[in-house]
Amino acid sequence: LKPFALAHLSSLDSPPALRAHFASLPPAALAALCERAGLVRSAADGEALGTSGLLSLLIETFAKVPSQREAIGAMPLYPDESTPWDEALVPPPPDREGAASLGGSAPLALPKLNLQFLTLHDYLLRNFALFRLEATHEIKEDVQDAVRRLA
């Protein structure tokens, strides 16, 4: 563990780097490390999990989780090919003849918030989610209209 202890913190935040450091340890040392970190009750319980179980436990616990800001920054504004057809995200239009395709007849799936504690970040996140859903719905309607005209 000496190279691990002397390594720079930014070189240890990814799962492959953690796996490279911990994979060289024997199973007994991994179990003892997990016991000291409070991940298993005893070293015997840790050894029962096996080397792969202990490695995954350590990696899931100590790998850096991307921040919400980074995750949102990596998201595209417009949907990919599968998103418009996912009925959990974009509700299907009503089956009735002559009804508007969405037109306020069905709510969009937005996470519920307690408006008493709405911060600027929550407001912007909610608007971003609503923009993505509206764009997805408009693209879906345009594709359906184009297919109808081609048929």
Side-chain angles (χ1 to χ4, degrees):
L1 287 177
K2 188 173 182 179
F4 177 76
L6 295 176
H8 192 268
L9 185 60
S10 65
S11 69
L12 299 174
D13 62 355
S14 67
L18 287 172
R19 184 172 300 279
H21 280 286
F22 290 136
S24 62
L25 293 176
L30 273 175
L33 182 64
C34 287
E35 180 185 11
R36 287 187 198 138
L39 302 176
V40 294
R41 291 184 185 194
S42 68
D45 290 343
E47 288 180 15
L49 286 174
T51 305
S52 63
L54 291 172
L55 278 174
S56 63
L57 188 63
L58 282 168
I59 290 170
E60 285 181 27
T61 304
F62 295 113
K64 180 183 175 188
V65 178
S67 69
Q68 187 179 29
R69 184 177 290 171
E70 291 171 354
I72 291 171
M75 292 172 72
L77 283 177
Y78 297 104
D80 59 359
E81 299 87 29
S82 61
T83 306
W85 313 114
D86 186 5
E87 291 185 359
L89 296 175
V90 181
D95 292 333
R96 294 174 289 154
E97 290 279 324
S101 59
L102 187 60
S105 63
L108 292 174
L110 283 175
K112 294 182 180 180
L113 292 175
N114 187 355
L115 295 179
Q116 180 181 3
F117 302 108
L118 187 64
T119 63
L120 180 64
H121 177 73
D122 294 333
Y123 175 75
L124 292 174
L125 181 64
R126 195 167 175 85
N127 278 344
F128 178 70
L130 185 60
F131 173 80
R132 289 190 68 210
L133 285 172
E134 287 176 349
T136 302
H137 179 70
E138 292 296 324
I139 290 170
K140 181 179 178 179
E141 279 187 339
D142 290 345
V143 168
Q144 286 175 338
D145 184 47
V147 168
R148 231 179 281 125
R149 290 179 186 210
L150 287 174

